[in-house]
Amino acid sequence: MIYFDSAATSFQKPASVAAAMWEALASMSSPGRGGYPAAARAADTAFQCRSELAELFGLKNPEQVVFTLNATHALNIAIKSLVPPEGKVVVSGYEHNAVTRPLEVLGARISVAAAPLFEPKAVTAAFDRLIAPDVNAVVCNHVSNVFGFIQPVEEIADICRKRGVPFIVDASQSAGILPLNMETLGAAFIAMPGHKGLYGPQGTGVLLCGAGVPVRPLMEGGTGSQSIQQQMPDFLPDRLEAGTLNVPGIAGLLAGVRYVRRGGLNKILDHEKHLTQMTIQGLETLPGIRVYASPGLQNQTGVLSLTAEGLDVETIGSALEERGIAVRTGIHCAPYAHRTAGTLDTGTVRLSFSDFNTPEEVARLLRALCGVLGRAF
């Protein structure tokens, strides 16, 4: 199988990830539940993972790194810590359901800073018009999961700081690919999955918490600390980590983070953009194909959407699947993004690349698409 769905989950992982998970299963129990060697190894692995993540994302205190089940879990904590029922929130026009559904449950009054694709200045201007001191929170994804559009989170963060409004960044599509500094941004929270650009396993996620930002647990339970009291501890990370941690997952995530740091964000991004540009150049030779891309990929990562005249996206996806190529089709859990871009009625075929894809795989994709469209390549 040729896998072009890394925006959902990076399927191909470094070999070190599986090895670390097997090692954890063989030698680790749970951190904070004892002083014996298996518990100590688990605690050390969790601390090492927090420390590597803190260094990667510009946090001085590893204890502000909270482990979650996924980015959705992390975003729910962040949103429900800051937004009261019927609170006021400003979001971008490209948000995922992991943001918009929790806000809907809260009955939040949502203002959408909608702007055209690949126009970061227009995005900044839209947020500038809507952010006011009475807003409870601003939420923006760093990169659109549908179009790979890099949004101007630094400029939005600056507006939030000046107006005293907490800022939540959804880094689901940028963690491990683009630089992101928690201290420089001054964000209240940054949420991310472990299983995408950080190359960790599914079932892992991370919430970076700003110093002094109030946090509200989604769950209460055992933490291995302050067990006599019946309230959750008032310190991080324990306040947000009820129950047993996914130690094999954390061990795998640590290996994934180390892979990213050794390779370097710039090298990974350059590789993914090279494959994206190859794909665009091939698609531009095919009549009837519309490609959603930024000129020169100036404001875009290795995520690419397309549609084809006369063929619905599900038909294209199924035909590629029959040819051994995995892509994502439809709305991608992001109706806001499709509504903003004008593709809500059709959806798109999404191609998303990773550090493990190759130019040869892109060539096979283009030949397969020609076969689907009934055209010569």
Side-chain angles (χ1 to χ4, degrees):
M1 176 181 67
I2 295 175
Y3 189 80
F4 290 134
D5 195 22
S6 291
T9 291
S10 55
F11 180 68
Q12 298 117 318
K13 312 285 187 183
S16 58
V17 172
M21 295 179 72
W22 278 113
E23 174 66 21
L25 286 168
S27 66
M28 300 178 200
S29 59
S30 294
R33 269 62 171 182
Y36 48 86
R41 281 193 291 269
D44 182 62
T45 297
F47 181 75
Q48 287 183 52
C49 192
R50 292 188 211 275
S51 298
E52 295 258 1
L53 286 161
E55 290 177 17
L56 181 59
F57 294 104
L59 266 178
K60 293 180 179 177
N61 184 359
E63 292 181 353
Q64 292 169 242
V65 177
V66 172
F67 294 122
T68 63
L69 299 173
N70 43 49
T72 299
H73 181 195
L75 285 164
N76 269 263
I77 294 173
I79 288 167
K80 291 168 184 176
S81 291
L82 296 176
V83 182
E86 300 183 3
K88 294 183 67 175
V89 182
V90 180
V91 304
S92 84
Y94 296 93
E95 295 310 306
H96 190 277
N97 281 343
V99 168
T100 58
R101 283 181 171 174
L103 292 174
E104 182 70 23
V105 168
L106 289 168
R109 292 167 288 166
I110 303 172
S111 298
V112 181
L117 263 177
F118 308 120
E119 294 188 20
K121 290 183 179 179
V123 172
T124 301
F127 273 103
D128 193 29
R129 288 191 296 270
L130 294 172
I131 298 173
D134 64 339
V135 169
N136 295 107
V138 169
V139 190
C140 184
N141 59 39
H142 194 184
V143 174
S144 164
N145 73 301
V146 180
F147 301 104
F149 175 26
I150 302 171
Q151 300 210 85
V153 293
E154 292 84 2
E155 289 78 2
I156 297 165
D158 185 55
I159 297 169
C160 288
R161 283 194 304 272
K162 290 175 179 176
R163 297 178 192 173
V165 177
F167 185 33
I168 301 170
V169 179
D170 176 2
S172 292
Q173 300 298 329
S174 64
I177 299 167
L178 295 175
L180 196 58
N181 188 290
M182 182 81 172
E183 186 170 336
T184 301
L185 281 179
F189 296 102
I190 300 178
M192 65 192 71
H195 63 97
K196 298 186 183 184
L198 294 175
Y199 294 100
Q202 295 97 317
T204 59
V206 176
L207 181 64
L208 309 179
C209 303
V213 176
V215 293
R216 177 185 172 189
L218 285 183
M219 299 189 302
E220 292 77 27
T223 59
S225 58
Q226 296 187 347
S227 296
I228 194 67
Q229 72 178 34
Q230 291 304 288
Q231 296 80 36
M232 289 295 287
D234 60 0
F235 54 87
L236 292 174
D238 296 40
R239 184 164 179 76
L240 299 178
E241 291 182 350
T244 301
L245 291 177
N246 176 8
V247 173
I250 291 168
L253 176 58
L254 173 59
V257 171
R258 285 175 170 169
Y259 171 85
V260 168
R261 297 191 73 192
R262 282 196 303 270
L265 301 183
N266 289 339
K267 183 179 177 183
I268 292 172
L269 178 62
D270 287 347
H271 176 70
E272 293 184 10
K273 290 179 76 168
H274 174 65
L275 298 180
T276 306
Q277 192 64 60
M278 283 184 61
T279 306
I280 292 169
Q281 289 170 353
L283 292 173
E284 286 176 343
T285 67
L286 302 178
I289 295 285
R290 179 173 181 185
V291 180
Y292 295 84
S294 169
L297 297 181
Q298 185 176 1
N299 303 302
Q300 190 171 357
T301 61
V303 178
L304 182 69
S305 268
L306 63 94
T307 55
E309 185 179 342
L311 280 177
D312 67 80
V313 297
E314 302 297 342
T315 298
I316 298 171
S318 296
L320 289 174
E321 183 180 332
E322 291 171 0
R323 290 162 170 81
I325 299 174
V327 300
R328 178 79 183 272
T329 60
I331 302 300
H332 317 94
C333 301
Y336 272 51
H338 285 281
R339 186 177 294 113
T340 301
T343 53
L344 187 61
D345 292 338
T346 62
T348 62
V349 177
R350 185 186 70 187
L351 311 169
S352 49
F353 304 98
S354 83
D355 201 37
F356 291 89
N357 289 123
T358 66
E360 292 74 21
E361 289 177 332
V362 169
R364 287 180 61 185
L365 166 72
L366 293 170
R367 286 195 293 271
L369 276 171
C370 287
V372 173
L373 300 170
R375 293 161 189 154
F377 180 68

